[in-house]
Structure formats: structure tokens, C-alpha cells
Amino acid sequence: MIRPHRVLHAVQRLRPLWPHAVRALVAILSVVPPLLHTTVREATADQSLTRVLQRGTLRWGGDLQGGEPYVFRDPQEPSRLVGFEVELVEAVARELGVAAQFVQNDWSTLLASLERGNFDVAVNGIEVTPARASAYALTRPYASFEESLIVRREVAPSIRSLGDCAGKRVGTLANSLAHHILGAEGGIRVVLYEGVDEPLTDVSTRRLDAVLIDDIIARRYLPAHPDLVEVLRIPGGSYAMALRQQDASLRNAISAALDALEQRGELQAILRRWGIALPGKTEISMPAPADTALAQQVSLFLRAAGVTLILSSVAMVVAIFFGALLSIARSYGSLATATIARAYIEVIRGTPVLLQLYVLYYGLASLFAMDAFTTAVLGLGLNYAAYEAELYRAGLQAVPKGQVEAALALGMSRWVALRRIVLPQAIRTALPGMANDFIALLKDSSIVSVITVVELTKQMTITAVDVRSWLLPGILCAALYLAMSLPLSRLASHLEKKLSMGL
């Protein structure tokens, strides 16, 4: 039994310690609420998993152009997507109790679109690199790969390593691990692609000397190119799903779902079905990308601007010359010639220039394999020729017919009358429009990046991925386009002013 006088005595003995106890309590109370507030704030900020669960769908981004075996349309049922990553994401979504929803996005801008919030997770052969691990919330790896060096059979004895590729044109996918490996090797002329089969086609047609790609891609597409052979395997790495850094709760849930799938053997079954290797248990050392600053890329921007200017200028010369021929053929040629010229103009103006570039570069590769720059010049030049032809035709029609009749009455032939009387006046009328078309061509040249030409806009996208910023590279790119187009705009205004004054 506790006696009251003993309790009072104990309290009196502890009285000197009371101030210390009070100060300790005050200190605890001053620390705990902020901690609780921080925890609540973090939990409130990271609503990624809650958002997916409430929505009932896991939106994942990928690129169908990446093709088999990642994600592609079922040949037997084109409305359905298949691929080992399709099965993997659907299995993860089932673990989370939601449905998977695919979002198409170009592979080269997949991570930029992820940061923009176009989808919850990027799943399309995202390679685990130190730079990506620090910039994004990566899940645990779900598959592994190696890099494969592929060349034509007749040159295989002379190319057995990356060192043998010095000075040669080697293709690969932009912003991939292979891209970094080739860049670190030095001395190799790297050609960047967005599709997986196109570089193999270019090696077959001798537009490339070799290609370095993931072995998963090589094993799927190499059988369609019997003239090519794999000469080297380089240790690669692992694929992981990428999320925004602040979406840690969703990343953890997806990683836990992958763990559960592996424990039940479902992950192994999916990868085995598609011939994909499980992620390695030991981390493979990868080359860390160089710490790239925008200032270091300025020289690359200037070189790409030079490519843009030269490409546009030569293409405009082609357009002017061929457009003039089309216009004369349509206005003064025979019925058959005029019909052919009219048909050409309508077909070219009625189809996208992107499609025309694809047909010229890839579609006709088996007949004549032009290099990318020549194809770009011809593609843009032949496309703009159709528009120039209509511009010149308007100029020809602006010349009064009486002048031609007077020239013929003076004994000139029709060709001499056309050359000395009509064409000078027609060209003078068309000059402002030609200057405007050149400005448009300068900007449209950005489209030729689809056939591996690294012009100004393509360089901007490469730099934006390297420095993880689209704003400053975009501003620099726009400044260079303005620097090239403003003098042309002033020239067009000057010509219009001169013409309005009667020259």
C-alpha cells in the first residue's frame, strides 16, 4: 500500500528537476507539430497513387514506332496492342486494381511528356542510367538487355569492335544508352534514328556502316535482313518504368506489384514468352553521361543552323528551277505536257511533305539509295516546286497577251518572245512570293529530321533531353531561326515596295 506521506516526500525530492522537465516538454512540443505537419504535407502532395486508384486507370506512355516486341499492333487484329510491355503493364494494373490505358508518344520526347503530365508512367524500353535514376522515380528493373553491333556480312571481318568504327557512320536510337556509348567512344559519326528497323535498312543499302542497338531489337528485326550479321555484344543494362520524382507512392506501388508478379512467376512467364531476359541481380556498370551545359552546345546549334541554311538554299534553287519548268509546261506546253505538269502539281500539293520524304528515303531505297542530305534537298525542292509553279503561272498570266502578239508580229519566235518579253516581267511579279516561300521553306526544313538529318530543330530536341530543359534550347533555336529569316523578310518587303513603285 502506498502511503501519502511517502508520495509527498518523493515529489519534494524531484522538485529541482521540474524546470528541466518543463523545458524538455516544451522542446518536444515545438518539434513534433512541424514533423507531423511535414508528414501530412508530403502525404497530401504525393497523391499519385490515390489519383490513379480514384480514376481507375493507369495511363502509360509508349511509342508504337518502337515496335515489336515492346508494344505494337496485333497483325491479326490491328485494333489490339500486343507486346511484352503491354502484358507487363496490364499485369501491374491488375495488381493495383485498375485498368491500363495506353498513350501514344514519340520515344524521343517520352520523358518530357511524362514530366508534362501526359500520362502516369513511361514504359517503353526506358534504360536505367545514373542520369535517369537521379532525374526520375524509376521502379525496380523488369527486364535486361545487351547492346548489339551489326554490320554487313562482307565487312564483318574488318569491324569486330567499336574501335574499328572510328570514322564510320554508325546508326542508333536517339537518347538511348547506345547513343551515349557511341558518343563516349569518340571518332564515330553517329546517325540518330527514331524507328528501330530504319537503321538496319540503311546498313543494308550502304547508307550506314554499322548500327548499335539493343539485342532485343536486333534479334527481332535481324532475320529480315539476311545480308547483315551481329559482330559484337556489349554489356547493356536493365529496363525500368519511369515516373515523375514527386510520384513516389505510385512508384512504390508499381515496384511492389512487380515484386508480387515475380514471386508468383508471372513476370518470368511474360518475359519468357517474348524471349526477354530477366533483370540481372548484379548492377552492370554503365557510362555516366557527361554533365552537359547549354553553353557547351552552342557550337552544335551553330553547325545545325548552317545545315538548315545550306539545305534550304539548295532546295529553293531546285524549287525555282523545276517550278519554272512546270509553269512553262502548263502554260505553253502541249496538251500532254500541260496535263502531266498539272497532275504533278496537284499530287504534290495534295500529299504531305513528310510522306514524300518517307517515300523518297525509305520507299525507294531498294532502287536508288540516296544519302539523307540529298534526299532532303530533293524532297523539299520537288515539293516547293509545285507551289512555285503556281506562283510563276500567276506571273505569266499577269503579262498582257498583246505584248506577246506584238513580239510575234515583229518576227520573234514564241520561245524568244517568252524569254525576252514575258519571263522577265513574270519573275519580277513573282519575286516577293518567292522570298516568302523561302522563309517558309527555311522553317519547313525541320521536318527532314525524320530521315536522320540533324538540322536546327533536331539539335534543339537532342540538347533539350541532355540538359533536361526545353525552354532555353527552344529560345536559342528560335533566335537562330529569326536571325536567318528576318533578312529574308526585309528583302521581301523591299521587293514589294520596289514593285509598288513600278521598279
Side-chain angles (χ1 to χ4, degrees), residues 261-294:
L261 292 173
E262 185 173 16
Q263 290 171 3
R264 293 201 301 268
E266 292 184 39
L267 175 63
Q268 295 88 325
I270 292 173
L271 297 180
R272 196 180 306 115
R273 192 157 47 245
W274 292 93
I276 310 295
L278 277 168
K281 296 300 181 184
T282 57
E283 289 293 331
I284 299 174
S285 177
M286 296 185 184
D291 187 11
T292 306
L294 181 59

Side-chain angles (χ1 to χ4, degrees), residues 176-194:
S176 64
L177 176 63
H179 182 192
H180 290 295
I181 292 175
L182 292 174
E185 185 69 18
I188 296 176
R189 299 167 60 189
V190 181
V191 182
L192 300 178
Y193 290 80
E194 297 181 2

Side-chain angles (χ1 to χ4, degrees), residues 4 11 45 53 62 72-73 77 105 125 131 144 160 184 202 246 277 281 326-327 329 356 385 408 411 484 494-495:
V11 170
L53 295 178
F72 59 102
R73 296 195 182 280
E77 188 179 347
N105 197 102
S144 63
R160 310 300 298 181
D202 278 359
Q246 63 270 26
K281 296 300 181 184
L326 286 171
S327 179
Q356 296 161 16
L408 295 176
M484 291 186 288
H494 177 73
L495 291 174

